[in-house]
Amino acid sequence: MTVRRLWWRKESCSVSGQFIAESTAGGYTTQKDLTPHQIPRRVVDSDQSTTYTPSQRLRVLRVLVECCRIIPNILSNWIDVATVWFLTTCYMYFWLGGETRLAALGWTTLIGWPTLIVAGTIAALIPVAAKWLLIGRFRTQDKPLFSSFVWRGELVDVFVESLAIPGIVRMSLGTPMFNLWHRLFGVRIGNNVWCETWWLPEFDLVTLENGSSVNRGTVVQTHLFQDRVMSMEPVDIHDSATLGPNSFALPGSTIGQRATIGPGSLVQRHEVVPADTCWQGNPAQYIPVEAAGFPRDTATSTLNDGTLKTGIQ
């Protein structure tokens, strides 16, 4: 089965559509449904001076903060240069100490492995320090676009994606070390969690309970911008639940115990996916457990009526 997502968004409203290709006994046929679905949104009061008509002072401050985006790249280059300098020094030490060039290269190679691990660890921990220094703890709240909180949050993202992700973090996807790194940011992660994505924007608002799975390419989206106001809400993925590859879970959503969200799906804002059910599509649609074809523990699975609850008013 292949799924293509279409997601339209405007300042005044957000809608989504879906295009699903389904397999049949005679081959592949397509089922096309482009009927718009409104994405639930809250009414947010905002000050025009911090959204659409910011003062010149705010514009200048925004530019200054944007200029700080180069800092993680500078730090990354410093770490690279320091690593090369240290390994070069090791090579020269062995060579000038009487070792042959081949032997000196061999000793330097042995030293290189722990050196690269240390360098990668430093690069992974600097964004953690930046998050706690610049933001502290993310909370459920609304912030206008032209506020230092939004800018500092974006700067933390740059630290994460420029320093940590290219190195040791990308190689540790789905491992306990990756979960530990996320816990340092404030993500609530239980035991035996499979997490294969770093797109958990507001770390403190994400909860991944015991045995849950968050697959590659997924986004646990804990914020949305509407009318140039950033609204942050938690996303909870309960015990043994699965969020399939390339899927989205929007702010305020909850995936119940042992529920499965198929690949390329969208769990809309404030939706509550019932336990022991299967869903797929954009937006997510109920699929009977027997027909879903997803790997599941049938001994603990029970049928559900497929009613998707939402807390939006």
Side-chain angles (χ1 to χ4, degrees), residues 168-169 171-180 193-196:
I168 197 171
V169 171
M171 294 185 292
S172 66
L173 291 175
T175 67
M177 186 174 69
F178 187 64
N179 291 348
L180 174 61
V193 170
W194 173 269
C195 184
E196 206 177 2

Side-chain angles (χ1 to χ4, degrees), residues 236 238 241-242 253-261 266-268 270-279 284 286 304 307-310:
D236 297 328
H238 289 179
T242 297
S253 61
T254 299
I255 302 177
Q257 293 182 350
R258 298 173 299 280
T260 298
I261 305 298
L266 172 68
V267 181
Q268 297 195 80
H270 292 178
E271 288 183 337
V272 179
V273 177
D276 300 303
T277 56
C278 296
W279 298 75
Y286 174 70
N304 195 289
T307 302
L308 191 61
K309 302 175 183 178
T310 178

Side-chain angles (χ1 to χ4, degrees), residues 10 23 36 39 41 51 67 112 117 144 181 185-186 205 207-208 229 232 241 249 282 289 292 301 306 313:
K10 297 182 179 179
S23 62
I39 294 177
R41 67 193 304 274
T51 52
C67 291
I117 292 175
W181 180 72
F185 279 101
L205 299 180
T207 299
L208 308 178
V229 174
M232 291 162 280
N282 182 3
V289 174
S301 299
Q313 299 296 327

Side-chain angles (χ1 to χ4, degrees), residues 191-207:
N191 298 322
N192 301 318
V193 170
W194 173 269
C195 184
E196 206 177 2
T197 182
W198 57 81
W199 286 318
L200 314 176
E202 285 70 46
F203 306 98
D204 307 282
L205 299 180
V206 177
T207 299

